[in-house]
Structures are given as C-alpha cells and as structure tokens.
C-alpha cells in the first residue's frame, strides 16, 4: 500500500520560489496573520495529521465501506476518531471568518490542506469538503440570523453540510429538478422529494447535518429560472441554539459504488421536511453556482491527489522489483535482473505520473492565488473586482477540473500498470487509487460539461476568444526572453511560444466553424479542453523550469538534485506529453460529419 508522504519540498518550491506566496499574502487585506512561519506551521501540522491519521485509514476504509441501518449511516472504523481530531485541530475553519470562529486565513491555504488530506484519504476528505460548499452558500446568501445559527458549528466542524442538487432524472440538467417547496404560514417551507448521490448525506461523524437543497416553489417558472435554494437541517435548531426535533429528511439507501467507498453517498428522502429559504426565490441555481469555480478547483485537486499517490506507490516498487536486463546493458550486476526503473517504458509511466502531479500542482497553486483575490473582493463588497477575478478563475476552472482529473485517472491507471498483475490485486492499494479516481471526471460537472463550459460559454459566448488571447499573451511574454536560449530551456520556450500562437489560431478556426455548423462546439469541445490542458500545463512547466534553471545557476546551499530533476521532468513533459496536443488539434478540426451522420437506429443491429 502506498505510504503517503506529503511532498513538502515541491509544495515549498511552488509557494516560495515560483509563485511568491509571501508577497501575495503581504498584499491581501486582513492577511497579516499569514506569515511565512504560519504557512510553514500549517503545512507541517497538516502533513503530520495526513500521514499519521488519515493515510492509515485509506485502505481499511475502502475495505470496510459505510453501512446503513434504518437510515443511520456508520462510517468505517477510525473515521469518527479521525474526524474528532480534525475538528479539535481547528482545521475546518482555517479560511473562514473569525466572526464565526474561523481563522480567516486565505482560501489558498485551504486548497493546500485539501491537497494533503485528499491525497492521504480522499473518502475522508469528502465529509469536510462538502461542508465547505454549504458554508460558502450560507455565508454569501444567508440572512444574518441564518449565518448566526449555522456558521459557527459548521466552521468548527461540529456540524457538517451537504449540497443536494441531483435527482434521479437529472444531474447535469438541473432545470429538471422536481423537489417541491411549499410555503407555510410561519415563513418556513415544507420540502418534499428525493435527491440521489448525496455525498455525506448521512453519517456518524457530526451532531447535525445541514443540507442545502434545490427545490421548486408551487408557482415557479419551468426550467432553471424556477429553482430556489433551501437550508434543511437534519435536526431543527431551538431558539437557544440547542438541537431540537428530528426533521423528516432521511437517508433511504447508500449507493453501492466503485470507489471512494468510505464516503457515504446517499439517497436522501425529504418528506415535508422543514426548510428555510436562502437567497431570492427562483434564483437558487444562480446562488448555487456562485462558488462553483472554487468547488470545481477543489475537485481538480482530486486529479492531482491521485496522480501523486499513485506515483508514490509506484516509485518504490519500480526500484525494488526486478525484471530482465535493461536494453542498454546490465545495471544491477549483483542481482539476477535489473530493477524495473531501468526500463525506458517503466520510466515513461513514472515520469508521466510525476510530470502530471507537479504540473497540476503548479496550475492549481496559481489558480489558488486568484481564488484568494476573489474571496477578498467578496469580503470587501467590491462587486467589480469580484466579477473580474471570478471571470479569470472561470477560464481556468474547466481546464483544471476537466484536464487534471482526466490525467489523474490516467496516472492512477499507470500506477497499477507499473505493478503489473500485482497492481490488480487489492492488497497493494493501487487498484483502489484507480477506483477512487474514477469519480473525479464525473461529479462537479462531467468532463464533457467542463469542455462545453470552456469552449461554448467561456471562449465563444462570454469572451469571444478574449480569455484565450489574454492567456496566450501571458504565455508569449514568459517564453519570449528565452526563445534564443540554448539547451532545454530554449527548446521549451520555443515550444511554448509555438503552442500559444497555435491555440489562438485554433480558437479562431473553431469560432468560424461554429458559426456555420452548430454541432461544432459539442463535437470539438473535449479535444479543445484536452488541448488547452496540455498547452496550459506546458506554460506552468516552463515557469517551474525557469526558476529551477536560475537556482541551479545561482548555486547556494539548496541541493542541486532537486532543481536538476525539476528541469528533467519539465523536459520530459515538453518532449513526451505536450505533443499529445497535436492529436487533439487534428481531431477537433475534423468536420462534424463523421460524428453526426449515422442514423440513431443504426448505432446497433442487435
Ligand atoms: C459518488 C458520487 C457523489 C456525488 N455527490 C453529489 C453530491 O454531493 N450532490 C449532488 O447534488 N450530486 C452529487 N453527485 C451527482 C453528480 O454530480 C452527477 O452524477 C453528475 O453531475 C452527472 O449527472 P448525471 O449522473 O445525471 O449524468 P447526466 O447528466 O445524465 O449525463 C450523462 C452523460 O451525458 C453527458 N451530457 C449530459 N448533457 C449533455 C449535453 N448537453 N451535451 C453533451 N453531453 C451531455 C454527460 O457529460 C455524461 O457523460 C454525485 C455522484 C456520484 C456518483
């Protein structure tokens, strides 16, 4: 089983050497507590908790899974104690307002925390993770009284939260939501309906569970414009803040699923449960999507987490397991055969995992800075700034969520492949990573939906290509000073500049085609998303490589090996992974005819 070790050296490299987080925090209002010492203490404390408490429960949690008895869900052994430790450590509220008992540290620190927790044990991380969505919604749209009631116990972690959107007939197309909300004379609502696939819908970790529920008022318009948002607590809350009567919202069943088996995914039945409206009537979906970017970046972290964990599992195995001799001659002469790591094809797998994990970390840490700025704008009530940062983040979000989770899944599969047949056997924990990773491309918007969002909404509709122009200009500005450099840096800079120009030109071609053939967007969007992901990751790899090169030149007390390996991983990325963008380019530019010409009834002749 992989022994999770938080990759603190790489995290520090990005925070301190690449992205100057100390400078970033110094400029944020109210971030005077976020000193480099504080960041270091959080990283180290979180790493210890993840390595010593969460990681040991990952395999056992998967084996045991959750159980349900008459609507009461029991989490696997050790989860309750681990959650209590998480709450006692004050981890839940690190980025939430002091007014509600949080530490009010920047949002980016929460993402670092999620990376470590999620890599150690994604199933566990789902419980506090869903609470974040619930807290953000109440914080942004709740009345003062609602905030006062719900925020403190959610921020402390004493209570957890859920997001109840999906119903049997709809997950993506929430305009089809049927759950009903009937107004009552006392200003509350009776909520009736069934939600499925609700993460952390019921469990034994916390005293109360606060559901955020999408439902329809009796006179609501059809479709997405007729959906409202409600707070539905598991236990009603008395006027003095103590827990009151049990609300009729109950887990009807646990979903039996492929992975993240220790995360309780519930069918939730609302049977005239008492609900309190949050946000304006019929504007529920808008409110729900306010923090969508940050929630989706949270899911992008899952791609990074599984690439990292799978790499951590595969690497020691590749060094220990022996098979045949390397093609270039004996490497481990004292042994009967050479270690797997000497074979180029095994190195291809390991370096792909490493390049994706470290490249994804770079992309996410950059986006995390934007998230800090966006949250700051919300806090200061600066609507224009909020919209500007949200738009910027909105461009990164589908690429990060779609591309990183797809690649995380590929890396999880590669981890099994390095183990050969042993990767398929449960005891090594490698197949669990692949099973756990599979959901990441499905929830929080499938890859197809991220791709449509990127190409259809962000690129074509909202910005008419401006987001691509802006980002590719950043790419060119970074690459330009190095175009004539010799060695790997020059090669990488030229490749990045070429891709920037190509991305811009491609976007224009797709725009022109979409104007003539309406199926173009749906037909091209997946390849456009993956192309964008490979090229964007190239930009962030060049950024890391430039710093590593400069540090190597500088010399100094830091080990040269780290920077050397960074540069070599960057070179691998540019030579072996970035060229995959070509395949996506070719595919996306093909006419839609081959996709659309077949008659629906000719898809099968059974
Ligand atoms: C383990 C797990 C946990 C979950 N947790 C939660 C939770 O906590 N809360 C919650 O509310 N939900 C949750 N979900 C639900 C999840 O978000 C949905 O399953 C997901 O959004 C997809 O919706 P769907 O399953 O209805 O698929 P559908 O919407 O039916 O989509 C099916 C396929 O069609 C494609 N598709 C759909 N529409 C289009 C289109 N217009 N153009 C092109 N392609 C399209 C999709 O990309 C997908 O490939 C969870 C699901 C799982 C499995």
């Amino acid at each position: 089983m992989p022994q999770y070790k938080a990759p603190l050296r790489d995290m520090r490299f990005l925070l301190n050497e690449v992205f100057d987080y100390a400078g970033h925090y110094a400029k944020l209002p109210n971030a005077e507590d976020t000193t480099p010492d504080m960041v270091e203490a959080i990283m180290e404390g979180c790493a210890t908790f993840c390595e010593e408490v969460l990681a040991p429960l990952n395999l056992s949690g998967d084996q045991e899974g959750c159980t349900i008895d008459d609507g009461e869900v029991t989490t696997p052994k050790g989860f309750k104690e681990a959650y209590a430790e998480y709450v006692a450590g004050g981890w839940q509220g690190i980025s939430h307002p002091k007014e509600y008992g949080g530490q009010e540290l920047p949002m980016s620190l929460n993402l670092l925390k999620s990376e470590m927790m999620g890599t150690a044990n994604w199933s566990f991380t789902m419980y506090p993770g869903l609470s974040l969505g619930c807290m953000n919604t109440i914080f942004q749209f709740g009345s003062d009284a609602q905030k006062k009631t719900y925020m403190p116990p959610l921020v402390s972690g004493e209570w957890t939260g859920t997001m109840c959107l999906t119903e049997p007939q709809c997950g993506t197309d929430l305009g089809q939501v049927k759950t009903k909300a009937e107004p009552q004379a006392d200003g509350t609502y009776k909520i009736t309906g069934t939600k499925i696939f609700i993460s952390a819908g019921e469990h034994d970790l916390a005293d109360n569970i606060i559901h955020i529920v999408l439902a329809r008022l009796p006179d609501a318009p059809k479709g997405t414009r007729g959906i409202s948002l409600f707070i539905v607590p598991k236990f009603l809350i008395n006027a003095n803040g103590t827990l009151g009567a049990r609300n009729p919202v109950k887990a009807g069943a646990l979903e039996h699923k492929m992975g993240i088996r220790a995360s309780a995914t519930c069918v939730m039945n609302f049977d005239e449960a008492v609900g309190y409206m949050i946000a304006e009537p019929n504007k529920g979906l808008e409110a729900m999507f306010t923090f969508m970017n940050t929630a989706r970046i949270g899911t992008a972290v899952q791609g990074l987490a599984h690439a990292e964990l799978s790499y951590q599992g595969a690497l020691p195995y590749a060094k220990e397991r022996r098979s045949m001799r390397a093609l270039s001659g004996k490497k481990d002469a004292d042994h009967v055969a050479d270690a797997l790591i000497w074979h180029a094809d095994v190195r291809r797998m390991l370096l792909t995992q490493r390049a994706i994990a470290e490249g994804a970390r770079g992309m996410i840490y950059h986006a995390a800075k934007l998230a800090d700025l966006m949250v700051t704008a919300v806090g200061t009530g600066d609507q224009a700034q909020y919209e500007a940062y949200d738009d910027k983040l909105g461009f990164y979000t589908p690429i990060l969520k779609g591309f990183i989770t797809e690649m995380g899944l590929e890396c999880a599969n590669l981890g099994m492949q390095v183990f050969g047949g042993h990767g398929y056997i449960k005891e090594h924990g490698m197949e669990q990573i692949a099973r756990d990773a599979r959901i990441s491309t499905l929830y929080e918007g499938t890859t197809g939906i991220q791709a449509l969002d990127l190409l259809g909404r962000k690129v074509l509709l909202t910005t008419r290509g401006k987001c691509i122009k802006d980002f590719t200009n950043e790419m060119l500005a970074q690459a330009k000073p190095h175009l004539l450099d010799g060695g790997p840096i020059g090669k990488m800079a030229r490749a990045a500049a070429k891709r920037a120009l190509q991305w811009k030109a491609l976007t224009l071609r797709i725009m022109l085609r979409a104007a003539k053939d309406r199926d173009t967007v749906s037909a091209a969007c997946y390849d456009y998303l993956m192309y964008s992901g490979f090229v964007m990751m190239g930009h962030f790899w060049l950024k890391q490589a430039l710093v590593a090169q400069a540090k190597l030149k500088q010399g100094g007390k830091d080990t040269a090996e780290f920077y050397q390996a960074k540069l070599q991983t960057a070179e691998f990325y540019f030579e072996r992974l970035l060229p995959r963008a070509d395949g996506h380019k070719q595919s996306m530019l093909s006419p839609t005819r081959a996709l659309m010409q077949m008659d629906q009834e000719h898809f099968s002749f059974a």
Side-chain angles (χ1 to χ4, degrees):
M1 192 181 74
Q3 292 296 317
Y4 175 62
K5 193 99 193 70
L8 293 177
R9 179 64 186 95
D10 197 51
M11 294 170 83
R12 288 187 186 114
F13 170 69
L14 289 169
L15 291 177
N16 305 328
E17 300 170 62
V18 178
F19 291 118
D20 183 25
Y21 259 82
H24 164 70
Y25 289 145
K27 285 191 219 131
L28 290 181
N30 305 325
E32 52 281 349
D33 292 349
T34 319
T35 59
D37 285 349
M38 165 67 101
V39 174
E40 192 54 36
I42 287 189
M43 274 171 45
E44 290 199 354
C46 190
T48 306
F49 174 65
C50 294
E51 291 166 6
E52 294 178 4
V53 180
L54 297 188
L57 298 175
N58 197 30
L59 189 68
S60 59
D62 177 65
Q63 286 165 348
E64 196 181 330
C66 294
T67 51
I68 185 164
D69 182 16
D70 192 25
E72 302 291 322
V73 172
T74 306
T75 54
K77 202 148 49 184
F79 270 51
K80 222 172 154 169
E81 292 75 11
Y83 187 75
E85 206 169 313
Y86 173 82
V87 172
W91 290 110
Q92 182 67 327
I94 65 169
S95 296
H96 286 84
K98 285 184 180 160
E99 188 187 351
Y100 301 116
Q103 294 181 57
E104 215 161 313
L105 298 171
M107 177 84 173
S108 47
L109 284 174
N110 207 48
L111 274 171
L112 294 193
K113 178 192 91 177
S114 315
E115 180 200 330
M116 287 188 264
M117 287 180 58
T119 315
N121 192 328
W122 190 266
S123 281
F124 179 91
T125 307
M126 291 288 288
Y127 296 96
L130 266 295
S131 290
L132 289 182
C134 171
M135 279 193 271
N136 285 341
T137 311
I138 296 177
F139 180 59
Q140 184 68 3
F141 298 100
S143 64
D144 287 346
Q146 287 170 335
K147 286 189 221 176
K148 215 171 135 207
T149 305
Y150 298 105
M151 287 297 285
L154 283 167
V155 168
S156 70
E158 199 185 328
W159 298 352
T160 64
T162 72
M163 300 298 273
C164 299
L165 291 72
T166 304
E167 297 185 4
Q169 72 286 0
C170 65
T172 303
D173 183 7
L174 293 168
Q176 297 183 44
V177 158
K178 284 187 192 155
T179 297
K180 287 190 299 191
E182 286 170 82
Q184 303 299 300
D186 63 356
T188 65
Y189 294 81
K190 278 192 174 163
I191 310 291
T192 304
T194 297
K195 297 283 177 181
I196 61 166
F197 300 168
I198 304 307
S199 303
E202 179 56 48
H203 57 77
D204 57 357
L205 303 181
D207 295 341
N208 203 3
I209 302 175
I210 309 303
H211 305 284
I212 301 287
V213 185
L214 287 183
R216 250 174 220 294
L217 295 170
D219 55 352
K222 285 205 166 68
T224 51
R225 288 170 202 278
I227 294 175
S228 305
L229 200 55
F230 300 86
I231 298 176
V232 181
K234 174 177 167 183
F235 287 101
L236 298 175
I237 293 104
N238 297 321
N240 64 2
T242 56
L243 295 188
R246 180 75 164 85
N247 209 2
V249 42
K250 212 168 167 187
L254 277 176
E255 310 285 3
H256 299 285
K257 53 194 199 295
M258 173 180 182
I260 55 164
R261 295 191 60 249
S263 162
T265 310
C266 305
V267 175
M268 298 301 299
N269 295 321
F270 295 80
D271 187 9
E272 298 198 336
V274 178
Y276 308 92
M277 190 182 281
I278 183 167
E280 288 177 49
N282 300 329
K283 297 248 169 99
L285 217 49
E286 249 169 70
M288 187 71 114
F289 278 88
T290 301
F291 281 94
M292 193 50 89
N293 288 330
T294 45
R296 287 183 167 172
I297 290 172
T299 312
V301 169
Q302 191 176 358
L304 156 60
H306 293 312
E308 175 69 39
L309 188 62
S310 182
Y311 177 59
Q312 290 197 14
L315 182 60
Y317 192 79
K319 288 181 177 175
E320 280 161 23
R321 174 95 174 164
R322 297 180 182 281
S323 176
M324 299 165 69
R325 290 295 179 191
L327 292 183
S328 54
K330 255 184 206 173
K331 304 294 180 197
D332 302 327
D334 299 346
H335 293 90
V336 52
D338 290 333
L340 293 177
I341 199 164
W342 287 113
H343 300 298
D345 188 53
V346 175
R347 284 176 171 240
R348 168 188 65 78
M349 297 191 268
L350 293 170
L351 281 168
T352 299
Q353 293 178 298
R354 177 172 177 165
I356 294 299
E358 293 180 11
R361 190 170 290 120
M363 289 162 86
I364 289 170
Y365 285 20
H366 173 76
K369 279 172 103 173
L370 293 175
D372 283 343
L373 296 168
M374 187 199 80
V375 171
T376 300
V378 172
T380 55
D382 188 336
Q383 186 64 18
Q385 281 287 322
Y386 162 71
E387 282 172 19
Y389 286 118
D390 194 47
D391 282 352
K392 219 165 177 192
L393 205 56
F395 164 64
Y396 285 97
T397 302
I399 302 178
L400 264 57
K401 192 319 185 157
F403 174 73
I404 294 176
T405 57
E406 287 288 338
M407 295 310 291
L409 181 58
E410 178 177 325
C411 291
N413 273 320
L414 288 176
M416 282 174 68
Q417 199 72 16
V418 169
F419 271 68
H422 299 270
Y424 199 66
I425 304 300
K426 278 190 180 288
E427 69 182 273
H428 300 290
M430 300 305 286
E431 58 83 47
Q432 182 195 341
I433 305 173
R435 284 188 289 105
D436 286 355
R438 188 64 191 87
I439 185 60
S440 63
T441 67
L442 297 167
Y443 57 16
E444 280 297 342
T446 60
T447 305
I449 294 306
Q450 302 301 331
L452 270 180
D453 181 46
L454 174 68
L455 181 57
R457 214 156 75 90
K458 308 285 167 55
V459 175
L460 300 184
L461 206 64
T462 329
T463 70
R464 303 211 47 78
K466 184 174 178 303
C467 55
I468 300 297
K469 202 168 139 213
D470 290 350
F471 187 79
T472 52
N473 284 346
E474 277 177 39
M475 286 183 73
L476 287 169
Q478 176 176 261
K480 243 182 189 165
H482 305 282
L483 292 178
L484 300 178
D485 286 8
I489 288 284
K491 255 173 115 175
M492 289 186 238
R494 287 188 289 278
K498 184 185 127 190
R499 294 290 176 184
L501 297 173
Q502 188 182 59
W503 194 1
K504 236 188 312 197
L506 258 178
T507 304
L508 191 63
R509 284 176 75 178
I510 296 281
M511 270 170 129
L512 294 173
R513 276 187 190 204
K516 286 195 207 132
D517 175 356
R518 295 184 78 106
D519 279 325
T520 296
V521 175
S522 188
C525 66
Y526 167 76
D527 287 299
Y528 188 86
L529 174 104
M530 295 305 284
Y531 175 94
S532 305
F534 279 116
V535 175
M536 184 182 269
M537 191 175 269
H539 172 70
F540 285 99
W541 259 119
L542 179 59
K543 201 176 275 305
Q544 297 193 42
L546 289 169
V547 175
Q549 169 92 343
K551 293 280 174 164
L552 270 179
K553 270 200 187 142
Q554 243 173 46
K557 64 182 171 48
D558 273 327
T559 53
E561 289 83 356
F562 175 83
Y563 300 115
Q564 196 65 54
K566 238 327 148 196
L567 271 174
Q568 289 166 345
T569 312
E571 219 179 322
F572 170 84
Y573 182 81
F574 272 85
E575 292 198 2
R576 295 263 163 183
L577 296 180
L578 184 58
R580 290 202 205 172
D582 289 329
H584 291 295
K585 171 179 160 253
Q586 210 173 333
S587 187
M588 88 176 86
L589 288 175
S590 302
T592 57
R593 195 173 48 84
L595 276 170
M596 304 310 286
Q597 65 186 353
M598 193 181 291
D599 284 342
Q600 195 179 318
E601 56 270 28
H602 293 168
F603 270 67
S604 159
F605 289 97

